[in-house]
Amino acid sequence: LAKLWNRAVINSTNNLVLVLNDDIQVTEEFFDLLDSLVPKCKGKITLFNRIFSHFVVDRELLNELNWFDERFLGVGKEDRDIQQKIQCHNITTPTIDSRHIETTQPIPNMKTYGGKYTKFNDIFFTAKHHEKKEPEQLQYPYYSFEVENYDKL
């Protein structure tokens, strides 16, 4: 999921990117809310329902935070990892409420915890943040170079 989110943001044609997972109910009012929200999102990550299933993110901020750590495989803890980075940078994350539909389907044949999250990610998160055995690694070292030189293409 971390890799998917990173690739979506990097390949977006806009600096502000809306990421929606499949467990949110989108109504006509949702788009009105989104229209009023977008101007306030520059330089921020804005969460829907206080969770990272759905969010609006400023691409430059995500680059500053070193993206979602793609060593989190499958589903789970990639959101807690980015929240740790946000807290370390003293960044506030505004939230808005929307209708969330809980999904409970794990990936087939995956070792899980909590019914649907990757056990590997739980172990990796502990090693990275509590035991400090997994140092942060630069995710996209050439992103800034690309941005600085894009107009030269």
Side-chain angles (χ1 to χ4, degrees):
L1 192 56
K3 187 173 192 170
L4 177 67
W5 286 346
N6 284 341
R7 299 297 170 143
V9 173
I10 285 172
N11 289 299
S12 172
T13 58
N14 196 316
N15 277 341
L16 288 177
V17 180
L18 170 67
V19 176
L20 297 176
N21 284 354
D22 62 352
D23 57 352
I24 190 170
Q25 186 176 42
V26 178
T27 64
E28 200 169 304
E29 295 82 22
F30 176 84
F31 293 104
D32 293 335
L33 182 63
L34 195 58
D35 283 344
S36 67
L37 173 72
V38 168
K40 302 172 189 167
C41 291
K42 186 166 177 52
K44 297 180 181 164
I45 294 178
T46 302
L47 305 178
F48 292 79
N49 302 325
R50 293 172 277 294
I51 57 175
F52 265 97
S53 289
H54 335 286
F55 54 95
V56 177
V57 63
D58 184 307
R59 182 179 12 218
E60 296 308 315
L61 175 62
L62 201 53
N63 183 50
E64 182 183 322
L65 294 172
N66 191 29
W67 305 90
F68 287 94
D69 190 334
E70 294 182 7
R71 295 176 294 170
F72 287 95
L73 309 174
V75 178
K77 298 291 185 176
E78 68 286 330
D79 53 350
R80 289 290 303 132
D81 180 65
I82 201 81
Q83 286 173 326
Q84 294 281 100
K85 294 178 187 182
I86 289 167
Q87 288 173 351
C88 288
H89 283 80
N90 295 318
I91 298 169
T92 59
T93 51
T95 63
I96 60 170
D97 292 323
S98 60
R99 182 154 160 67
H100 181 257
I101 303 165
E102 186 61 37
T103 58
T104 57
Q105 298 297 320
I107 298 170
N109 303 318
M110 181 178 72
K111 294 177 184 162
T112 63
Y113 72 95
K116 64 180 179 177
Y117 301 109
T118 311
K119 182 68 176 164
F120 171 86
N121 288 1
D122 188 43
I123 294 166
F124 182 75
F125 182 86
T126 299
K128 181 177 180 181
H129 291 286
H130 301 294
E131 299 168 357
K132 307 293 185 196
K133 292 180 181 176
E134 294 290 341
E136 189 71 29
Q137 292 182 357
L138 191 58
Q139 295 295 312
Y140 289 95
Y142 301 111
Y143 174 77
S144 296
F145 176 83
E146 180 183 337
V147 169
E148 291 167 10
N149 292 288
Y150 188 79
D151 63 337
K152 296 174 186 171
L153 294 176

